[in-house]
Amino acid sequence: MKTFIIIGAIILSSFFGACDNTNKQEQKITAEAGAENKTATKNQMNKDACLMPVSAEDSAKYISKKAEVKGEVENPLILTVDSLKKMNVATIENFVVVCQSGGNMKEDKTCKGVLLKDILEKAKIKQQNHKDRNFYIVARATDNYKATFSWAEIFNNPTGDNVYVLFEENGRPIKTQGDMILICKNDIKTGPRHVYWLKSIEVNRVD
Ligand SMILES: Nc1nc2c(c(=O)[nH]1)N[C@H]1C(S)=C(S)[C@@H](COP(=O)(O)O)O[C@H]1N2
Ligand SMILES: [Mo]
């Protein structure tokens, strides 16, 4: 009789144990679904934010006529459309801005700009020696939107031949996103490192 009771208790406890487990699994699945939903909502919100047209009022207050090149450089520069025109100007064809969410935001048949590499060579990064090459470069806009590049990307990688400061789109000066836009033509999604209202290019050394 005693044995039966013990066996019965074991069976019962394992049954409830299993139930408890199932419950936990269900809870976990519900939590995961919740997180996925949240990510989906967030993605949608990001997409909406990217698709939101910038009002004329906002662009008027954010437009920047100058872009400063500063930080760890020997010759700080102030870039303007006119100063860029005096440099080695390249024409870029069929440049498409693709948001991180996947949407096509803008297509330029043709645009004109100067390589960031040429600009930084003119500003001359303060390299103390051959191994002093851990710099990061921040392209910043007046609304504090920013994109980051590394020294190696610009000076020791094909990306260096794809990063431009634009001053003209489709044969016209850049108006609402003006005066200059920094782009990285070979990025998978070109939206994130497309910095309009460009106001500075800062060179920083990694400590
Ligand atoms: N200054 C600034 N640049 C920015 C942004 C911004 O909010 N401010 N948004 C970025 C995002 S998320 C995308 S997808 C593209 C959109 O470019 P478009 O406005 O030309 O379509 O610009 C990028 N550059
Ligand atoms: Mo975006």
Side-chain angles (χ1 to χ4, degrees):
M1 182 63 192
K2 214 174 168 187
T3 335
F4 278 122
I5 293 172
I6 292 168
I7 293 172
I10 292 171
I11 292 172
L12 273 179
S13 76
S14 65
F15 175 73
F16 281 115
C19 273
D20 196 36
N21 238 347
T22 321
N23 254 341
K24 273 189 194 137
Q25 264 166 7
E26 270 169 13
Q27 273 170 8
K28 199 171 162 227
I29 289 167
T30 320
E32 274 168 9
E36 262 167 38
N37 271 343
K38 264 191 198 149
T39 315
T41 319
K42 220 170 146 197
N43 281 344
Q44 188 54 44
M45 275 163 64
N46 282 341
K47 198 168 179 181
D48 293 345
C50 290
L51 290 171
M52 209 143 77
V54 183
S55 71
E57 217 182 15
D58 265 356
S59 54
K61 96 175 167 235
Y62 287 123
I63 284 171
S64 177
K65 299 268 159 206
K66 296 181 292 190
E68 268 186 85
V69 184
K70 57 187 183 182
E72 297 296 311
V73 291
E74 277 168 30
N75 317 310
L77 307 171
I78 293 179
L79 305 175
T80 61
V81 172
D82 287 339
S83 76
L84 288 175
K85 281 181 180 166
K86 289 180 193 138
M87 296 181 69
N88 187 17
V89 174
T91 302
I92 299 116
E93 250 129 54
N94 303 316
F95 173 64
V96 185
V97 179
V98 182
C99 180
Q100 195 166 6
S101 61
N104 269 21
M105 309 297 289
K106 180 172 79 175
E107 294 189 27
D108 284 346
K109 272 261 136 257
T110 138
C111 38
K112 278 188 183 167
V114 173
L115 277 178
L116 175 64
K117 186 161 65 170
D118 290 352
I119 294 166
L120 292 175
E121 266 160 11
K122 195 170 170 193
K124 217 158 179 269
I125 295 182
K126 286 182 182 167
Q127 283 186 287
Q128 286 154 357
N129 59 57
H130 177 72
K131 295 189 186 181
D132 184 25
R133 49 195 163 205
N134 288 281
F135 295 89
Y136 60 97
I137 297 121
V138 180
R140 196 185 299 266
T142 47
D143 63 341
N144 208 27
Y145 186 85
K146 43 207 170 295
T148 311
F149 296 86
S150 69
W151 180 90
E153 257 186 305
I154 304 299
F155 294 102
N156 194 24
N157 190 276
T159 292
D161 298 321
N162 287 282
V163 184
Y164 293 94
V165 175
L166 304 181
F167 59 84
E168 203 179 288
E169 289 180 304
N170 301 313
R172 282 186 293 271
I174 302 163
K175 280 264 148 28
T176 54
Q177 298 184 333
D179 279 2
M180 289 162 271
I181 305 177
L182 183 134
I183 65 159
C184 181
K185 208 162 57 79
N186 65 335
D187 274 352
I188 295 169
K189 300 277 173 63
T190 47
R193 293 205 286 190
H194 166 263
V195 183
Y196 51 83
W197 300 326
L198 182 68
K199 76 153 187 200
S200 65
I201 295 167
E202 306 151 12
V203 180
N204 302 286
R205 182 183 284 106
V206 179
D207 315 302

